[in-house]
Amino acid sequence: MPVIELNFRSLIIPVGIVRFFEIFLSCTAFSLVAASNHFQGPYGAWCMFTWCFCFIVSVLIVVVELFGFSEKLPLSWDDFTSAFAMLAALMVFTSSIMYPSTFLTGSCSGICAYQAAATAMSCICFIAYAIEVGLTRARPGDISSFLATVPGLLKVFEAYVACLIFSLVSDPKPYKIEPGQQWCIAVYSICFIVTLLIIILTIGRCLTYIPFPLEKVLVGYNALAVLLYLTAAIIWPIFNFRGNPRPSSCDSSCSWNKLLGVTFLTFFNLIAYIIDLVYSSKMVFVTRTA
């Protein structure tokens, strides 16, 4: 009968200690919100899902590393943990803004204490995941784990921002009117699919089987993505705000605000793809030449 050797060192290294804080903080956040019973609607459901998802996956990561199962899994464990830490940081950051702006209002009476405490725990949890990203990020010259490099982390950011864009344009009315709006949705979808495919293939250790210089292809894709997002950053505001001023009574669920949110997120992703292109080009052409 095989003997399982526990890797207790994984619990006391800096990353392991940070993960315990992540587990505690995410658990505390969703427990406080559950106690207040104020997480109705899509925004509340998203926040609860974020904290529960991060808690469960962080616990699984700690257990897998403790029992030494990571080496037996058919995936790149370092890439997976780096990608998850980045994704969790982005999700918790979004929830830390979304939850208080939606539920922490002047009319929350005695339950404000629960909601304020949950918000504080979520903010600290974001800091913990951001620290893990910093601890696991590959150092200059180390490309053994692609998703731990700056271009790899940016891939996770780009995919996540695209998901936020999709959530804001889920109502088909804003973008079925003009061809320009349909083009923007096509840009968001194409770049998201390709970026997500890169992430999945990296975690699944499938990129090494591709019979062409992958690094240069990634540089070419980043350049194409920059051009596509540049057109979307120009076309989306023109087709959505030309002759469409902000309504006087426009609350958080107003479609005009959603269109504005898509505009900002489009520019965020454009900047991310530009930085991605710069770093990828440096890794391929400058580092190898040196």
Side-chain angles (χ1 to χ4, degrees), residues 195-252:
T195 300
L196 183 62
L197 187 61
I198 292 172
I199 295 173
I200 294 175
L201 292 177
T202 301
I203 295 176
R205 295 177 178 174
C206 299
L207 292 179
T208 55
Y209 299 103
I210 299 178
F212 45 79
L214 182 65
E215 296 85 356
K216 295 183 179 179
V217 172
L218 291 178
V219 172
Y221 163 68
N222 288 331
L224 178 61
V226 167
L227 295 177
L228 291 174
Y229 260 90
L230 182 61
T231 62
I234 297 173
I235 294 174
W236 183 265
I238 293 176
F239 278 89
N240 287 285
F241 300 115
R242 183 178 55 187
N244 181 26
R246 188 177 190 272
S248 56
S249 57
C250 192
D251 54 14
S252 59

Side-chain angles (χ1 to χ4, degrees), residues 36 38 104-116:
S36 70
H38 272 66
L104 194 59
T105 60
S107 59
C108 61
S109 65
I111 60 174
C112 278
Y114 288 98
Q115 297 171 339

Side-chain angles (χ1 to χ4, degrees), residues 54 105 125 174:
C54 294
T105 60
C125 188

Side-chain angles (χ1 to χ4, degrees), residues 15-35:
V15 174
I17 296 173
V18 170
R19 285 172 181 157
F20 275 112
F21 279 101
E22 296 164 356
I23 293 171
F24 169 77
L25 293 168
S26 57
C27 180
T28 305
F30 74 71
S31 298
L32 289 170
V33 173

Side-chain angles (χ1 to χ4, degrees), residues 13 32 39 62-63 95 110 121 127 133 144 164 220 232 245 248-249 258-259 261 284:
I13 60 176
L32 289 170
F39 52 92
V62 170
V63 171
S95 298
M121 293 297 102
I127 295 175
V133 172
S144 58
L164 294 181
S248 56
S249 57
K258 294 182 179 180
L259 296 176
V284 172

Side-chain angles (χ1 to χ4, degrees), residues 9-211:
R9 185 178 178 276
S10 65
L11 304 178
I12 59 175
I13 60 176
V15 174
I17 296 173
V18 170
R19 285 172 181 157
F20 275 112
F21 279 101
E22 296 164 356
I23 293 171
F24 169 77
L25 293 168
S26 57
C27 180
T28 305
F30 74 71
S31 298
L32 289 170
V33 173
S36 70
N37 198 29
H38 272 66
F39 52 92
Q40 297 80 8
Y43 295 129
W46 164 258
C47 295
M48 283 294 284
F49 167 77
T50 294
W51 296 319
C52 293
F53 170 75
C54 294
F55 168 76
I56 293 172
V57 178
S58 295
V59 170
L60 289 176
I61 289 175
V62 170
V63 171
V64 168
E65 293 197 345
L66 175 62
F67 285 91
F69 294 152
S70 58
E71 298 178 357
K72 301 178 177 62
L73 295 176
L75 52 83
S76 176
W77 184 251
D78 291 337
D79 283 312
F80 171 75
T81 53
S82 297
F84 168 73
M86 184 64 177
L87 176 62
L90 294 170
M91 293 176 67
V92 174
F93 176 74
T94 305
S95 298
S96 300
I97 297 175
M98 184 184 299
Y99 185 78
S101 62
T102 305
F103 296 97
L104 194 59
T105 60
S107 59
C108 61
S109 65
I111 60 174
C112 278
Y114 288 98
Q115 297 171 339
T119 301
M121 293 297 102
S122 183
C123 292
I124 301 174
C125 188
F126 158 70
I127 295 175
Y129 278 111
I131 292 174
E132 182 181 350
V133 172
L135 291 174
T136 59
R137 185 175 70 86
R139 299 297 177 260
D142 181 11
I143 57 174
S144 58
S145 300
F146 172 71
L147 293 181
T149 63
V150 173
L153 295 173
L154 285 171
K155 287 285 181 289
V156 180
F157 177 85
E158 293 154 4
Y160 180 75
V161 171
C163 289
L164 294 181
I165 291 176
F166 294 143
S167 69
L168 293 176
V169 298
S170 57
D171 183 0
K173 292 181 181 179
Y175 60 86
K176 279 193 173 180
I177 301 175
E178 300 288 347
Q181 294 163 321
Q182 294 178 336
W183 164 257
C184 293
I185 297 300
V187 168
Y188 304 144
S189 302
I190 293 172
C191 293
F192 169 74
I193 292 172
V194 176
T195 300
L196 183 62
L197 187 61
I198 292 172
I199 295 173
I200 294 175
L201 292 177
T202 301
I203 295 176
R205 295 177 178 174
C206 299
L207 292 179
T208 55
Y209 299 103
I210 299 178

